[in-house]
Amino acid sequence: MTQNKTIPTDQTVQKFIATVDPISKREDAQVLDRVFREVTGFQPVMWGPSIIGYGQYHYVYDSGREGDFLATGFSPRKARHSIYIMPGYTDFGDILARLGKHKMGKSCLYVNKLADIDLDVLAELIRAGLADLNQKWPVQPT
């Protein structure tokens, strides 16, 4: 059985954020880190080289594959931020309609810059995503 490629690392979140370019993305990453810490109550952990995760869960699929993954988090990518709301099975359309300018992936949300969205609505979305995830697989602190 294959292992997850994205796993926790020893890299510090602060050091990673300090390397984010351009500066506007770095500043957004600092704000996102603060929002995620406040909403989740979890300390962040680097997952792979570029994902900042808050909390984690253990999953077991019907196929028998199992593993651990971040409960929620983000990655400050050059083009746009990727915000992870796991596992991505619930329709949060009512919240997303109030969020602001974004695009959706399967379990992630793409935002060009934080000025495009309402951070209070993002906080609501993070809470809703964690509650949904916790119903299927218990969320643990990091």
Side-chain angles (χ1 to χ4, degrees):
M1 194 144 322
T2 60
Q3 297 292 322
N4 281 341
K5 292 179 184 174
T6 306
I7 59 172
T9 71
D10 291 334
Q11 181 180 11
T12 70
V13 170
Q14 292 76 15
K15 284 184 182 176
F16 169 69
I17 289 176
T19 68
V20 173
D21 281 322
I23 291 173
S24 60
K25 288 285 185 220
R26 183 178 319 145
E27 291 168 346
D28 278 0
Q30 291 166 338
V31 171
L32 283 170
D33 180 43
R34 187 183 77 245
V35 168
F36 274 91
R37 285 175 191 250
E38 289 173 2
V39 171
T40 67
F42 300 141
Q43 291 299 309
V45 171
M46 292 300 303
W47 287 74
S50 63
I51 298 174
I52 302 170
Y54 303 80
Q56 65 182 28
Y57 67 99
H58 183 79
Y59 62 85
V60 180
Y61 294 141
D62 292 339
S63 66
R65 180 184 164 122
E66 64 181 286
D68 297 299
F69 206 64
L70 62 114
T72 192
F74 72 96
S75 181
R77 311 243 186 234
K78 272 196 199 280
R80 53 191 171 193
H81 299 289
S82 297
I83 299 173
Y84 300 96
I85 306 297
M86 303 300 185
Y89 302 136
T90 298
D91 179 7
F92 293 120
D94 58 327
I95 300 172
L96 291 168
R98 296 182 282 114
L99 182 63
K101 186 178 175 184
H102 69 279
K103 292 186 179 182
M104 285 297 301
K106 183 175 181 180
S107 291
C108 73
L109 175 74
Y110 300 106
V111 174
N112 290 337
K113 58 187 181 296
L114 293 188
D116 290 341
I117 63 170
D118 183 321
L119 292 179
D120 291 334
V121 176
L122 176 62
E124 182 183 345
L125 180 63
I126 295 166
R127 280 191 291 277
L130 283 174
D132 179 59
L133 174 61
N134 198 53
Q135 288 180 13
K136 184 154 177 94
W137 293 299
V139 174
Q140 303 295 316
T142 45

